[in-house]
Amino acid sequence: MFGGKTRSMTRLSLAYPLHDRDVLVTACGRICMHRKRVAISTVFAGQRVAIKEVDEGIWLVSCMNYDPGYIDLEQKTLPPQDNPFGPRLSPMS
């Protein structure tokens, strides 16, 4: 009745020329940097994110046009930032 279609998923090949390098996020949501495992988020599992060192031991993480935050290699986590898609206040209120 229903013919099985084979659908191939195409991954975008993103380039980050302004960053130091791009890394693949593991299935558990981590990246490996300088022999340290840094927890990013499982949301990015299997995706490539770009990293750029902005200060000694502080790295900016970018994915597509968004910068989810900064990594401190001492803390080994990506602290949450403000939600860019959250509710906004109207200037008239």
Side-chain angles (χ1 to χ4, degrees):
M1 179 176 206
F2 294 103
K5 285 188 173 179
T6 57
R7 185 185 259 184
S8 65
M9 300 296 277
T10 306
R11 287 193 181 232
L12 296 175
S13 139
L14 299 172
Y16 300 100
L18 301 176
H19 289 73
D20 295 336
R21 64 186 181 137
D22 61 313
V23 292
L24 183 65
V25 179
T26 63
C28 61
R30 296 181 182 163
I31 62 172
C32 296
M33 295 176 53
H34 305 289
R35 295 181 176 241
K36 295 181 181 183
R37 292 181 185 152
V38 181
I40 302 290
S41 174
T42 54
V43 171
F44 298 112
Q47 301 297 316
R48 291 207 167 271
V49 295
I51 56 174
K52 178 181 181 178
E53 189 169 25
V54 292
D55 200 7
E56 185 68 33
I58 307 294
W59 295 79
L60 171 67
V61 178
S62 300
C63 183
M64 299 178 78
N65 292 335
Y66 299 101
D67 297 329
Y70 295 89
I71 294 173
D72 181 358
L73 285 182
E74 294 300 317
Q75 294 178 355
K76 297 191 255 184
T77 58
L78 179 73
Q81 299 276 332
D82 292 334
N83 183 359
F85 304 107
R88 299 178 195 265
L89 295 176
S90 171
M92 300 301 288
S93 58

